[in-house]
Amino acid sequence: MLKQLGKKYQETALIKLIIVGLIVGIIIALCAPAAVPAVSVLGDLFVKALKGVAPILVFVLVMNAMAQKNADASAAMKPIVRLYVFATFLASLVAVAYSFAFPTSLQLQVADAKVAPPSGIVEVLHNLILSVVDNPIHALASANYIGILGWAVLAGIALHAAGDSTKVFIADLAKAVTKIVQWVIRFAPFGIMGLVANAIGTNGLGALIGYAQIIGVLLAAFFSVALIMNPLIVYAFIHRNPYPLIWTTLKESGLYAFFTRSSAANIPVNLSLCKRLHLNEDTYSISIPLGATINMSGAAITIAVLSLAAAHTLGSAIDLPTALLLCLVSTIGACGASGVAGGSLLLIPVACASFGIGNDIAMQVVGVGFIIGVIQDSCETALNSSTDVLFTATAEFAERAKAGTLKAEDLVAEPEAEAQTEG
């Protein structure tokens, strides 16, 4: 009986199982709140497992890609990085437009957040650069992906001249770690059930009512970028209907990221999705962890919207040049957000400083961000993480489109069950 259930579980599409887990989690939170602490352990285990395996996975895959690499893989990274930065800047423009259209005042009587934001963009960039040369063991232990990428690239380059047997061992090691990740991902329905039950049972939605307008502005910007701006960018590159690829990345990557609220935890999910989209592993094994660090459209939106809300609350008039400066600050700050404890919220004081807003007020805005984080951070992470795959695929599909080999079915991921069989 158990063997039959296990077989049925393996054969069922993962997205269907996740939907079931989502529904069960909601039911538990509403009908059996006493069971929430026990069920939430499943969510903690799932996120912890993904976060634990992700640094090793990234290091091994990038090292393997560089050891076996060819010139084409390096050339393929340039358009992806350009897409990351360009899209992040455009997202900040969208956020500024919505903030001007729907000016929002905040209730700033919140407890001061006991966190230390960076003093400015120079410090953000300084920390980002130093992360590259972090101790490799510490980088792995602390999930410093900039450092992991740097050391993995160097190790891979050094191993490029190694013997064939060494390269085969590294390739086999990469396959083994990937298989472990696939096993972890198959438990996603139970993890999401625990995460949903805990989120609804612990936080509820009542505390968010007082911040409905700022949440509305943030959500409008997030959805506009995901469903309007990004499709336009993709269409400009591949000249095909972009929505099959958009829906694929949102469903297969954004959904996970929404519940885990961790770009690091979603790296294994994105690598698996890239494989099922039949992308070049030499490219995506580098672009996905890099995107989790610098591709931060959602973070740029959060920084811009909350900073402008603070300015509006204080009655500060923001002209167009200052707004454009904010877009630049948001873009640079967002790229460094993942390396700063507290994520994008702690970059808000940096942006507020460009308006002459003091740190005391800015940190109260950060406090507001933590209050609405159950929605804001979930949507932000979903947008950030899904676009890592989106732009990695867009760059490769653009080359296929030029060569006339891009097909409509390429824009939709291979079903998870088939990928598991092949693996």
Side-chain angles (χ1 to χ4, degrees), residues 46-108:
F46 177 62
V47 174
K48 190 78 171 179
L50 283 175
K51 285 184 175 180
V53 74
I56 304 297
L57 176 69
V58 169
F59 183 82
V60 172
L61 287 184
V62 173
M63 181 174 63
N64 179 56
M66 296 304 296
Q68 329 269 355
K69 90 178 193 77
N70 51 57
D72 292 339
S74 298
M77 282 300 301
K78 295 179 182 179
I80 297 174
V81 173
R82 285 197 292 265
L83 275 170
Y84 284 168
V85 177
F86 180 62
T88 300
F89 180 75
L90 288 184
S92 66
L93 286 176
V94 171
V96 168
Y98 270 105
S99 296
F100 278 1
F102 305 99
T104 305
S105 295
L106 299 175
Q107 303 170 20
L108 296 180

Side-chain angles (χ1 to χ4, degrees), residues 4-83:
Q4 291 178 338
L5 286 174
K7 184 178 180 181
K8 184 65 175 177
Y9 182 87
Q10 288 290 334
E11 293 174 349
T12 304
L14 195 58
I15 189 67
K16 294 180 181 178
L17 294 173
I18 288 174
I19 292 173
V20 173
L22 172 62
I23 295 172
V24 172
I26 293 173
I27 292 173
I28 290 174
L30 297 178
C31 301
V36 168
V39 175
S40 66
V41 173
L42 295 174
D44 294 338
L45 286 174
F46 177 62
V47 174
K48 190 78 171 179
L50 283 175
K51 285 184 175 180
V53 74
I56 304 297
L57 176 69
V58 169
F59 183 82
V60 172
L61 287 184
V62 173
M63 181 174 63
N64 179 56
M66 296 304 296
Q68 329 269 355
K69 90 178 193 77
N70 51 57
D72 292 339
S74 298
M77 282 300 301
K78 295 179 182 179
I80 297 174
V81 173
R82 285 197 292 265
L83 275 170

